[in-house]
Amino acid sequence: MAHDVPIGDDSIRLGQFLKLASLLDSGSDAKSAIADGQVTVNGDVEVRRGRQLHPGDTVTIGGESARVTQG
């Protein structure tokens, strides 16, 4: 089950969201995990750290999921 993570804008970059949602600790961790294909967005592997996420998108890594919500 994904937990909801509100964002203040209309979108957020994947690397930033991973840190905001506490799925990863740092930007370097996010960069590595994304490059290694460990991160999915809405069920699809995403390798672009700058991918824009919008409310309703769900990000999963290592069995943990977070859903982008409007803050």
Side-chain angles (χ1 to χ4, degrees):
M1 179 81 187
H3 65 279
D4 290 344
V5 179
I7 60 171
D9 295 318
D10 292 333
S11 65
I12 187 171
R13 288 195 172 118
L14 177 57
Q16 293 173 313
F17 184 75
L18 288 167
K19 292 184 290 182
L20 178 67
S22 299
L23 294 174
L24 291 172
D25 294 330
S26 71
S28 61
D29 289 345
K31 183 177 180 180
S32 297
I34 294 166
D36 290 345
Q38 298 176 28
V39 179
T40 63
V41 177
N42 300 327
D44 297 321
V45 173
E46 181 56 70
V47 295
R48 296 172 295 163
R49 188 173 49 154
R51 158 83 185 259
Q52 292 292 315
L53 303 175
H54 303 278
D57 287 338
T58 300
V59 176
T60 304
I61 181 171
E64 291 195 48
S65 297
R67 183 173 43 245
V68 181
T69 60
Q70 189 67 50

